[in-house]
Amino acid sequence: MALGDAILACLTERPMTGYELAKTFDSSIGFFWKADHQQIYRELSKLRDRGYIQGREVVQSGKPNKLVYTLTPEGRTALRHWAARPSTPASTKDDLLVRLHALDSIDIEPLRADLMARLEHHRDRHANYERILKKRFPDGTAEGKLDLGNLLLLRLGARHEQMVADFCEEALEALSAMSGKATVVPLEDSKREGKG
Amino acid sequence: MALGDAILACLTERPMTGYELAKTFDSSIGFFWKADHQQIYRELSKLRDRGYIQGREVVQSGKPNKLVYTLTPEGRTALRHWAARPSTPASTKDDLLVRLHALDSIDIEPLRADLMARLEHHRDRHANYERILKKRFPDGTAEGKLDLGNLLLLRLGARHEQMVADFCEEALEALSAMSGKATVVPLEDSKREGKG
DNA sequence: GGCGCATATGCGTCAATGTGCATATGAGGC
DNA sequence: GCCTCATATGCACATTGACGCATATGCGCC
């Protein structure tokens, strides 16, 4: 139960509804853990069944009533126990890397386009991290423990995006250099046989 | 079908049995894509059903007969089509990062132990990448397209491990600095000396 | 003779995850 | 009146993944 623990971790900050959690998983914690609202609601049900969180219905007019979830002492304990177990290093699982592994069996042009898109993507994310860092930690230091964790995470995120962006650039350059001196070949699709 | 495509990518190099693939997924491509042999055999059945690979039984004595799988032209085409689609950037999903997000609600000592274990883990992997790089690409350049892909991947892997290892070190230092000046409760200091 | 190990393939089950669809309503635009 | 957007919750189905277990055999070790 990894997503469940991520949700518990979020709820340590403040009580939230599923909807708010979904938005959180779209920004802050979502930078390193993706989950859509369906997953989150499903997991919330489980966590409630286990007594780790407690829902309080807030009646609203004009909108559907909402369920604000709060960590129970049991939930807090469960989170602590989970966090005390050794973590398992996750593997990357990035499509792009698999493609590079089979570089000589795939078409280069779409790969190039993909690399360019990814370059932009990772640059955007890097800029986003830097923006948040400057806003939340203008002097680069953290006060409390909670802040320290987030500062470290933001720095890691920024560096990671920077590194992947650099990688995309390098890969693009290497591809250009290679197609300059070797098997470019593309566009041989006008067959002499078919047209006439 | 992501694992399936990773398998197809592996089979572009040479025909392999499920067993060999499992070993491959334990080393080279396994650096960025984990899969155990059960998953691989299941996926191989699917790929065979779809006509993307073809199994040839090799009778052996002393060992169970083996099934050597070869890419079919259809499989090659499928791989090219898959590789021509834009890739989806994967999210990190690392337990350790979730724990840091909830830093003020968890126990620090197990986290510290975890960070130290992870530091060693990522250093080992970094050393491993560097070793392979020196062995396969002593002068840091690649000849063909296949080599280029692998060179890029190895470099990315090395840098990634280096970065995460650095991160672990930093986090450990920050935790020490913090526990020096703030809340963190040592286990049981009946001796209350300190500086006075 | 029994034990573990490497080789070699595979099934069954359950948890985790991904994708699509369903429901409910007020606000604002066409 | 109809459509879309934002809010707010949730089910159903399929895929993927993790884990245990089963089968078969030769080899070296004790």
Side-chain angles (χ1 to χ4, degrees), chain A residues 4 7-8 14 24 27 62 97 114 118 126 129 132 136 141 147 159 168-169 179 181 193:
Chain A
I7 289 173
L8 293 180
R14 61 187 176 86
T24 304
S27 56
L97 305 187
D114 199 24
R118 290 290 288 270
H126 178 256
Y129 279 122
I132 299 171
R136 282 198 55 181
T141 55
D147 271 0
R159 265 185 258 171
C168 291
E169 262 185 331
S179 59
K181 66 177 177 187
E193 180 224 339

Side-chain angles (χ1 to χ4, degrees), chain A residues 76-92:
Chain A
R76 226 166 248 284
T77 306
L79 179 64
R80 280 182 59 204
H81 281 148
W82 170 77
R85 291 192 343 239
S87 66
T88 50
S91 60
T92 312

Side-chain angles (χ1 to χ4, degrees), chain A residues 54-80:
Chain A
Q54 196 182 302
R56 189 170 48 81
E57 188 165 18
V58 174
V59 180
Q60 299 189 123
S61 58
K63 297 170 198 174
N65 295 344
K66 64 183 178 185
L67 273 162
V68 182
Y69 287 104
T70 313
L71 262 185
T72 62
E74 291 77 30
R76 226 166 248 284
T77 306
L79 179 64
R80 280 182 59 204

Side-chain angles (χ1 to χ4, degrees), chain A residues 1 3 33 36 38-39 42 46 62 64:
Chain A
M1 192 189 44
L3 174 59
W33 202 288
D36 53 30
Q38 293 92 333
Q39 267 177 282
R42 187 178 15 186
K46 281 191 212 166

Side-chain angles (χ1 to χ4, degrees), chain A residues 83-146:
Chain A
R85 291 192 343 239
S87 66
T88 50
S91 60
T92 312
K93 300 219 170 174
D94 190 329
D95 290 7
L96 185 54
L97 305 187
V98 176
R99 284 159 206 202
L100 285 173
H101 192 70
L103 188 56
D104 64 343
S105 299
I106 65 172
D107 297 324
I108 298 300
E109 276 317 310
L111 176 67
R112 198 191 294 274
D114 199 24
L115 279 166
M116 285 191 283
R118 290 290 288 270
L119 174 57
E120 204 176 334
H121 170 85
H122 294 292
R123 273 188 182 154
D124 282 354
R125 282 174 66 105
H126 178 256
N128 199 19
Y129 279 122
E130 291 291 346
R131 194 174 50 73
I132 299 171
L133 270 169
K134 265 181 197 134
K135 195 176 159 194
R136 282 198 55 181
F137 304 99
D139 51 354
T141 55
E143 290 300 304
K145 266 196 284 182
L146 192 134

